[in-house]
Amino acid sequence: MLKIIQGALDTSELLKDYQEEACAKNFGAFCVFVGIVRGEGNVQGLSFDIYEALLKTWFEKWRHKAKDLGVVLKMAHSVGDVLIGQSSFLCVLMGKNRKNALELYENFIEDFKRNAPIWKYDLIDNERIYAKERSHPLKGSGLLA
């Protein structure tokens, strides 16, 4: 399941729901990654644009890969502004045992950073400034600026 949420994520609420699902399915593995906006320089936070149709396609490929290994994949990402100390990204991989969930964990997160169609902006003096130096071009396309 993929959730796109305006503004910062309420990770406590999302994790509560996902953990209840894991318990209901009698899963023993619950692997979590939470991305938190950190302060650097004069940045007040980050802002995100998402190409939803492409993100859904990208996520579905990973969801099917996970399902083939008996793993349930959940992801939530912010669109719009997220301030320092708030969360913009959450993924959970859960399954009967840890081996397959952990096998996917790093590969999913690294592929997300490189290939998910999400564009990042720095919030500086209440302006959105494209974070070009921390962005990656999408395969088969030019870098959107």
Side-chain angles (χ1 to χ4, degrees), residues 14-16 18-20 22 27-32 92-95 101:
L14 290 165
L15 287 170
K16 178 179 176 274
Y18 296 158
Q19 190 167 0
E20 286 174 1
F27 286 161
F30 191 77
C31 304
V32 176
V92 172
L93 293 101
M94 57 178 128

Side-chain angles (χ1 to χ4, degrees), residues 5-6 33 35 40-41 44-45 74 91 100:
I5 296 170
Q6 183 68 43
F33 180 86
E40 292 183 316
Q44 299 160 310
K74 305 283 186 173
C91 72
N100 290 346

Side-chain angles (χ1 to χ4, degrees), residues 111-128:
D111 192 56
F112 166 81
K113 291 295 287 180
R114 289 272 176 206
N115 297 309
I118 298 173
W119 290 271
K120 184 186 303 185
Y121 300 81
D122 292 328
L123 294 174
I124 300 174
D125 295 327
N126 298 315
E127 289 187 48
R128 294 174 90 215

Side-chain angles (χ1 to χ4, degrees), residues 57-126:
T57 300
W58 173 87
F59 180 78
E60 280 302 305
K61 289 178 185 174
W62 276 101
R63 193 183 68 74
H64 286 294
K65 194 181 290 190
K67 185 177 179 183
D68 289 345
L69 292 172
V71 175
V72 174
L73 174 62
K74 305 283 186 173
M75 179 180 138
H77 200 285
S78 298
V79 65
D81 298 352
V82 182
L83 301 178
I84 292 170
Q86 296 179 324
S87 178
S88 61
F89 175 57
L90 167 69
C91 72
V92 172
L93 293 101
M94 57 178 128
K96 184 176 178 183
N97 300 303
R98 71 182 176 279
K99 183 180 178 201
N100 290 346
L102 288 173
E103 180 180 312
L104 286 171
Y105 185 86
E106 184 174 3
N107 292 333
F108 174 76
I109 294 166
E110 289 303 316
D111 192 56
F112 166 81
K113 291 295 287 180
R114 289 272 176 206
N115 297 309
I118 298 173
W119 290 271
K120 184 186 303 185
Y121 300 81
D122 292 328
L123 294 174
I124 300 174
D125 295 327
N126 298 315

